[in-house]
Amino acid sequence: GENVEQHPSTLSVQEGDSAVIKCTYSDSASNYFPWYKQELGKRPQLIIDIRSNVGEKKDQRIAVTLNKTAKHFSLHITETQPEDSAVYFCAASSTLRSNYQLIWGAGTKLIIKP
Amino acid sequence: EAQVTQNPRYLITVTGKKLTVTCSQNMNHEYMSWYRQDPGLGLRQIYYSMNVEVTDKGDVPEGYKVSRKEKRNFPLILESPSPNQTSLYFCASSSVGPGANVLTFGAGSRLTVL
């Protein structure tokens, strides 16, 4: 069935360095790719998303890139700060499917070392 | 304030004692969904609903029931809870469908079944 693989499961970076989380999807019909951030004890919240008609999207220190040929997309966080410590989930969906279902990655725990 | 409200936030119960976790949204969203979150397993969908009186199974529906009699409410029912249903539960909603729009999550309900 359709799946989304997310790597790494844990990522530890020094404060100020960059972090990259990668997801690979299996359904070539997928055309919507959101990223959710879940801080400790909190609910997941959307931080950025991208649709298949663009290759990159940026929002301040966060960017997402999409490679449709290789069927993978990545989250890039530059100049990491302590508040970036969280679990990040990627997901993929196809608006061609009638139920708009999101297929989720397993999550990446990002640790920012001071 | 636009939000998804879940109750109770914390519950300890015993095996076999029926319980209901309520979920209500005030954004007039068509789509609502329940997820469970367990360590290392990410977000797994239990049930979802595209609109009133329309519900569908997610990835892990066994042991759960839902209903969607009103657009704003989507309760999760555990008819005979078992210890393997001990988990953190999230309700979420969006307009149209999650592939096209942002999922708004509730604050979560932590359930312990003894």
Side-chain angles (χ1 to χ4, degrees):
Chain A
E2 299 133 3
N3 74 298
V4 173
E5 293 187 1
Q6 185 172 346
H7 297 282
S9 56
T10 304
L11 178 60
S12 184
V13 302
Q14 205 69 40
E15 182 178 348
D17 289 350
S18 295
V20 181
I21 303 169
K22 182 176 176 179
C23 289
T24 303
Y25 59 98
S26 61
D27 184 0
S28 56
S30 295
N31 56 7
Y32 174 67
F33 308 92
W35 286 89
Y36 284 77
K37 174 184 180 182
Q38 186 180 26
E39 297 176 7
L40 187 64
K42 300 290 180 69
R43 72 196 79 189
Q45 290 188 297
L46 181 80
I47 54 171
I48 195 167
D49 57 11
I50 192 169
R51 300 185 190 275
S52 60
N53 57 345
V54 298
E56 184 176 5
K57 184 177 179 180
K58 287 183 180 178
D59 183 2
Q60 299 182 340
R61 297 186 297 108
I62 292 172
V64 57
T65 59
L66 172 64
N67 184 326
K68 289 166 55 181
T69 303
K71 292 194 286 186
H72 66 71
F73 57 110
S74 299
L75 178 71
H76 305 255
I77 305 174
T78 59
E79 302 173 8
T80 53
Q81 299 170 5
E83 55 263 36
D84 295 328
S85 292
V87 177
Y88 292 82
F89 292 98
C90 65
S93 175
S94 171
T95 52
L96 299 177
R97 284 194 229 111
S98 61
N99 61 13
Y100 299 95
Q101 284 297 85
L102 281 170
I103 310 299
W104 293 87
T108 296
K109 183 176 183 179
L110 177 61
I111 300 166
I112 308 300
K113 297 181 290 186
Chain B
E1 180 190 351
Q3 59 186 358
V4 177
T5 303
Q6 296 179 227
N7 281 296
R9 293 288 315 282
Y10 302 91
L11 179 63
I12 300 174
T13 189
V14 296
T15 299
K17 186 176 181 182
K18 180 180 178 179
L19 68 92
T20 299
V21 186
T22 63
C23 175
S24 180
Q25 50 92 6
N26 63 0
M27 297 165 281
N28 201 36
H29 284 167
E30 296 87 0
Y31 180 93
M32 297 186 75
S33 180
W34 277 102
Y35 292 89
R36 61 177 290 172
Q37 184 174 30
D38 303 289
L41 296 177
L43 293 163
R44 294 184 293 168
Q45 191 178 52
I46 303 171
Y47 270 95
Y48 67 96
S49 169
M50 295 294 290
N51 215 323
V52 176
E53 301 292 359
V54 180
T55 62
D56 262 307
K57 296 178 180 179
D59 300 317
V60 288
E62 295 77 20
Y64 304 94
K65 286 175 58 177
V66 292
S67 68
R68 187 90 181 274
K69 295 176 182 172
E70 304 166 286
K71 196 172 186 179
R72 63 183 293 124
N73 296 323
F74 191 45
L76 179 69
I77 303 157
L78 287 72
E79 293 271 5
S80 182
S82 62
N84 64 11
Q85 292 177 299
T86 292
S87 187
L88 176 61
Y89 292 87
F90 285 102
C91 180
S93 73
S94 76
S95 59
V96 185
N101 289 283
V102 176
L103 266 179
T104 300
F105 283 84
S109 297
R110 186 167 291 281
L111 171 65
T112 301
V113 183
L114 302 175

